[in-house]
């Protein structure tokens, strides 16, 4: 008798592992990568006016006036230097001329075309304003000073152009420098290299005299500084990473750092959260242009008012210590003020920092008109009366520096312009 055989169940062959699906790339990732190569990162697109740009305008004006005075004397050294630079052999003269023209136009075309392609409106605005402003100054200087800037007639110049100023150099340099703030570090170096090549080629080709080139550079430099002073510059604010490093140097771990809007003249302000204790803090960063801002504000105060305002402080750390001392002194006389958390140098740029705990409430500028009661106004004058009794002045009282708590009490902030 044969044993019954079990029916064999067909076994399905093992399925091969599915090939991994390609991860879809986000739309525009390639374009953003190329933009990161060409353009510098900007902190949320926020710009800021720097006092150092006003100082640059004054410096460029001074250089231009000194250059005009020098060329009116007809210096022999300039003529000798022009002949020395223009002594290239005739066989390579066309090469120098080509470099003069090509290098002067290459950067402009690159910046303008790429800015239009990526729709960088701020870049195109700054570039156009800088170039037009430099051109207008050149036209005005030529109309007032003459086509040679008042230079005495000099024999033996030959093919060297004594025209004053050089419109091509001024506009080229202004357009290129106006775009530097938006370009990446590598492209900045390439731009500066092409500018040096353009100016040197112009001198060697005999297209411009040395003093004329210097005056044109001063015009371009001043035009770019004026444009940045009018519109602001993306280089005006320290990066969030730099502020985090500066707070770490002061022994404070921070998260959620963001710049405050609007920014103040001469100081960069941020909000940060310190998870290690203390919660939210306000950070005032005094950079390299802080002293310039204070000096210009003091000069303006002297011209407009009867006194020149607070005492001039020379260093960034002294400004921070001055604000911190007067803030604490105001708190000692009964005025509600921010609590000073830390002061000192920090960050890659060695900026001076003031870290404070903001008083609770909202500024008077943020309140509706019907919520500002008579008691609120009385609280403001009570705080001012306490400062006056202590022989102190706030120096920058405004609805933005008055903080109203939910219980109606009033606090004063921002003692950077205060005096005692």
């Amino acid at each position: 008798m044969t044993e019954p055989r079990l029916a064999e169940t067909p076994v399905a062959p093992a399925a091969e592992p599915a090939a991994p699906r390609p991860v879809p790339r986000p739309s525009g990732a390639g374009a953003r990568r190329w933009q990161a190569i060409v353009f510098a990162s900007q902190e949320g697109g926020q710009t800021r006016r720097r006092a150092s740009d006003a100082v640059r305008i004054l410096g460029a004006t001074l250089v231009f006036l000194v250059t005009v005075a020098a060329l009116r004397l007809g210096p022999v050294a300039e003529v000798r230097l022009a002949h020395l630079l223009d002594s290239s052999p005739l066989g390579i003269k066309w090469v120098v001329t080509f470099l003069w023209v090509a290098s002067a136009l290459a950067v402009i075309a690159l910046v303008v075309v790429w800015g239009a392609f990526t729709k960088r409106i701020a870049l195109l605005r700054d570039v156009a304003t800088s170039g037009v402003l430099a051109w207008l100054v050149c036209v005005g200087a030529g109309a007032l000073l003459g086509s040679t800037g008042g230079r005495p007639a000099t024999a033996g110049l030959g093919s060297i152009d004594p025209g004053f100023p050089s419109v091509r150099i001024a506009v080229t340099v202004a357009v290129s420098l106006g775009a530097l703030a938006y370009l990446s570090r590598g492209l900045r170096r390439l731009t500066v290299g092409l500018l040096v090549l353009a100016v040197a080629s112009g001198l060697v080709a005999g297209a411009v005299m040395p003093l004329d080139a210097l005056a044109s550079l001063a015009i371009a430099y001043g035009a770019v500084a004026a444009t940045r002073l009018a519109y602001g510059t993306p280089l005006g604010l320290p990066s969030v990473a730099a502020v985090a490093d500066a707070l770490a140097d002061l022994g404070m771990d921070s998260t959620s750092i963001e710049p405050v809007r609007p920014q103040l003249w001469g100081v960069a302000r941020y909000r940060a959260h310190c998870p290690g204790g203390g919660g939210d803090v306000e950070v005032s960063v005094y950079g390299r242009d802080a002293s310039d801002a204070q000096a210009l504000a003091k000069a303006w105060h002297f011209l407009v008012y009867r006194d020149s305002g607070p005492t001039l402080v020379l260093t960034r750390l002294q400004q921070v210590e001055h604000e911190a001392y007067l803030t604490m002194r105001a708190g000692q006389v009964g005025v509600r003020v921010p609590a000073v958390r830390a002061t000192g140098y920090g960050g890659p740029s060695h900026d001076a920092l003031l870290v404070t705990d903001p008083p609770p409430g909202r500024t008077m500028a943020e309140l509706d008109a019907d919520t500002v009661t008579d008691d609120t106004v009385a609280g403001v004058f009570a705080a001012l009366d306490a400062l006056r009794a202590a022989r102190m002045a706030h120096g920058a009282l405004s609805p933005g520096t008055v903080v109203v708590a939910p219980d109606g009490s009033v606090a004063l902030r921002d003692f950077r312009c205060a005096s005692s």
Side-chain angles (χ1 to χ4, degrees), residues 7-36:
E8 295 181 357
T9 304
V11 179
E16 296 181 358
R21 295 181 179 180
V23 179
R25 297 178 61 186
S27 177
R32 285 194 296 269
R33 184 169 64 250
W34 280 106
Q35 290 183 29

Side-chain angles (χ1 to χ4, degrees), residues 24-419:
R25 297 178 61 186
S27 177
R32 285 194 296 269
R33 184 169 64 250
W34 280 106
Q35 290 183 29
I37 296 175
V38 176
F39 295 108
S41 60
Q42 301 173 21
E43 295 302 320
Q46 183 164 321
T47 60
R48 175 169 168 259
R49 294 179 177 90
R50 297 187 300 178
S52 55
D53 289 325
V55 176
R56 290 186 177 95
I57 295 175
L58 297 177
T61 303
L62 180 61
V63 170
F64 178 79
L65 294 177
V66 171
T67 304
V68 171
L71 65 86
R72 285 177 177 268
L73 298 176
V76 179
E78 183 197 16
V79 178
R80 293 178 178 175
L81 179 60
H83 280 295
L84 177 64
L85 295 174
D86 189 48
S87 59
S88 57
L90 295 178
I92 63 172
K93 199 74 172 181
W94 66 273
V95 179
V96 177
T97 304
F98 173 78
L99 292 176
W100 156 241
V101 176
S103 58
L105 299 178
V107 179
I108 297 178
L110 176 63
V111 170
V112 172
V113 170
W114 192 262
F117 177 74
T118 56
K119 299 180 181 180
R120 298 265 176 158
I121 304 300
L123 183 149
L124 297 176
R125 177 203 62 197
D126 290 0
V127 164
T129 304
S130 300
V132 171
L133 185 58
W135 177 78
L136 290 176
V137 174
C138 289
V139 172
L144 293 176
L145 304 175
S147 59
T148 61
R151 177 189 283 108
T154 304
L157 286 180
S159 61
I160 301 177
D161 185 7
F164 176 89
S166 174
V167 178
R168 179 177 295 179
I169 287 181
V171 173
T172 300
V173 175
V175 169
S176 302
L177 293 183
L180 282 187
Y182 299 90
L183 302 180
S184 62
R185 180 177 300 178
L187 201 56
R188 287 181 198 173
R189 295 174 179 174
L190 175 61
T191 302
V192 173
L194 289 176
L195 290 179
V196 173
L197 178 62
V199 176
S201 301
L203 292 171
V204 175
V208 62
M209 295 284 288
L211 287 179
D212 298 338
L214 180 60
S216 303
L217 291 176
I219 291 175
Y221 195 72
V224 174
T227 300
R228 292 179 177 176
L229 192 62
Y231 298 129
T233 172
L235 299 179
L237 286 175
S239 65
V240 170
V243 177
D245 291 341
L247 290 174
D249 291 339
L250 298 182
M252 303 180 65
D253 295 329
S254 57
T255 59
S256 304
I257 301 175
E258 60 179 7
V260 176
R261 297 178 183 269
Q263 288 290 323
L264 298 177
W265 174 266
V267 58
R269 301 177 60 197
Y270 294 81
R271 293 189 185 95
H273 180 74
C274 297
D280 295 333
V281 296
E282 293 183 341
V283 185
S284 298
V285 182
Y286 288 84
R288 298 184 182 277
D289 65 332
S291 299
D292 296 335
Q294 190 189 37
L296 291 174
K298 189 174 181 66
W300 173 255
H301 204 280
F302 174 77
L303 294 175
V304 176
Y305 301 100
R306 290 184 297 177
D307 63 336
S308 60
T311 303
L312 184 64
V313 181
L314 299 180
T315 66
R316 291 168 281 175
L317 186 59
Q318 289 177 351
Q319 287 182 280
V320 167
E321 292 172 344
H322 174 83
E323 181 178 353
Y325 162 71
L326 290 176
T327 301
M328 292 187 292
R329 177 59 181 154
Q332 290 177 349
V333 300
V335 180
R336 293 185 61 247
V337 295
V340 177
R341 177 78 70 86
T343 61
Y345 283 123
S349 299
H350 209 53
D351 295 326
L353 276 75
L354 172 63
V355 185
T356 58
D357 293 327
R362 296 190 299 168
T363 62
M364 187 179 289
E366 298 172 339
L367 300 177
D368 296 330
D370 54 355
T371 60
V372 180
T373 63
D374 292 342
D375 293 337
T376 303
V377 179
V380 175
F381 280 94
L384 295 178
D385 189 39
L387 292 180
R388 181 178 178 85
R391 304 183 63 83
M392 295 178 58
H394 185 275
L397 191 67
S398 70
T401 58
V402 178
V403 180
V404 182
D407 60 359
S409 59
V410 173
L412 300 182
R413 55 182 296 180
D414 191 9
F415 280 79
R416 65 191 181 93
C417 298
S419 59

